[in-house]
Amino acid sequence: QKEVEQDPGPLSVPEGAIVSLNCTYSNSAFQYFMWYRQYSRKGPELLMYTYSSGNKEDGRFTAQVDKSSKYISLFIRDSQPSDSATYLCAMSGGGGSNYKLTFGKGTLLTVNP
Amino acid sequence: EPEVTQTPSHQVTQMGQEVILRCVPISNHLYFYWYRQILGQKVEFLVSFYNNEISEKSEIFDDQFSVERPDGSNFTLKIRSTKLEDSAMYFCASSENNQPQHFGDGTRLSIL
């Protein structure tokens, strides 16, 4: 079983839609969970950062972590064409967020005007 | 907003040659990392560096690779005797203590 699994998509939605992106993981030592956005030929850009289980909201973005199910989600409300990118989930273990990140493969999202 | 900068953006090298990839981390960050992303694959951890020494390295980071912080601002990744399979995007990242990692835009390494 892979450590972090993420549906690569591609996912195509109309502008204004609510987007749901998900990752599952197998390593129960993961405690820090991140979502990064990656535009073509660019580096990963941090979107959301959460510790342990719970929800975190920032503008149109909401991150959820369910450690009991080993499942994390990112919701994007009122999606915009500028949200079109690859979304990467990443997580790190008990050594803190200074510890190595383990990434999902990324989900390619296209928001159509 | 402060950012991690990487140079060059694209490096083309003959197989067997040595390359040095350069990074300037965010100035108040103390933890530094290298990752790579082979085309179509996941971003993979290579090495982390703190207090002038390697704190962790992956199985990929063998004797072919080395890292150095030659001065107060730069962080470099050296790859000796490059192989075709070293072709990838190489990302540098940095972080404060117990804060998320911030990434540069990467160096695309092409081995011919």
Side-chain angles (χ1 to χ4, degrees), chain A residues 11-21 60-62 74-84 87 109-113:
Chain A
L11 181 62
S12 182
V13 301
E15 184 174 353
I18 296 175
V19 175
S20 172
L21 304 168
R60 297 185 294 111
F61 298 91
T62 300
L74 177 71
F75 298 95
I76 308 173
R77 289 182 297 282
D78 187 24
S79 55
Q80 303 295 310
S82 58
D83 294 329
S84 299
Y87 289 79
L109 170 68
T110 301
V111 180
N112 301 300

Side-chain angles (χ1 to χ4, degrees), chain A residues 4 36 41 43 98 101 105, chain B residues 40 42 97-98 101 105 108:
Chain A
V4 179
Y36 288 87
R41 303 243 182 226
N98 304 323
L101 294 180
K105 199 170 183 180
Chain B
K42 292 183 179 185
N97 186 35
N98 259 339
Q101 297 173 30
D105 280 339
R108 183 156 64 105

Side-chain angles (χ1 to χ4, degrees), chain A residues 2-94:
Chain A
K2 294 179 182 176
E3 264 198 307
V4 179
E5 302 227 36
Q6 183 176 9
D7 185 343
L11 181 62
S12 182
V13 301
E15 184 174 353
I18 296 175
V19 175
S20 172
L21 304 168
N22 312 292
C23 288
T24 59
Y25 63 95
S26 58
N27 188 346
S28 56
F30 288 143
Q31 297 208 47
Y32 297 83
F33 304 92
M34 283 133 283
W35 286 95
Y36 288 87
R37 177 173 62 196
Q38 187 176 26
Y39 292 113
S40 181
R41 303 243 182 226
K42 292 287 190 179
E45 172 194 2
L46 180 69
L47 277 179
M48 301 290 283
Y49 170 62
T50 52
Y51 169 69
S52 196
S53 284
N55 293 358
K56 185 174 183 178
E57 187 173 321
D58 183 2
R60 297 185 294 111
F61 298 91
T62 300
Q64 289 185 350
V65 175
D66 182 349
K67 288 189 69 180
S68 62
S69 303
K70 296 190 178 69
Y71 187 87
I72 70 170
S73 302
L74 177 71
F75 298 95
I76 308 173
R77 289 182 297 282
D78 187 24
S79 55
Q80 303 295 310
S82 58
D83 294 329
S84 299
T86 297
Y87 289 79
L88 308 172
C89 64
M91 41 202 83
S92 65

Side-chain angles (χ1 to χ4, degrees), chain B residues 2-81:
Chain B
E3 57 183 26
V4 176
T5 56
Q6 290 186 243
T7 55
S9 57
H10 188 196
Q11 174 80 48
V12 182
T13 301
Q14 292 289 329
M15 188 170 57
Q17 297 298 303
E18 175 182 287
V19 294
I20 297 176
L21 310 182
R22 303 181 191 278
C23 170
V24 179
I26 295 172
S27 61
N28 62 331
H29 288 187
L30 300 177
Y31 296 82
F32 313 115
Y33 315 82
W34 284 101
Y35 292 79
R36 80 172 184 191
Q37 186 176 29
I38 294 171
L39 188 63
Q41 298 187 24
K42 292 183 179 185
V43 177
E44 303 174 285
F45 170 79
L46 292 178
V47 66
S48 57
F49 191 86
Y50 170 71
N51 200 24
N52 279 322
E53 60 182 30
I54 290 173
S55 44
E56 188 181 10
K57 59 183 181 179
S58 70
E59 291 176 353
I60 304 166
F61 194 89
D62 59 19
D63 292 343
Q64 186 193 4
F65 295 88
S66 62
V67 289
E68 192 178 30
R69 187 153 164 83
D71 54 42
S73 59
N74 291 283
F75 180 51
T76 62
L77 174 68
K78 182 189 289 186
I79 310 175
R80 287 178 284 274
S81 190

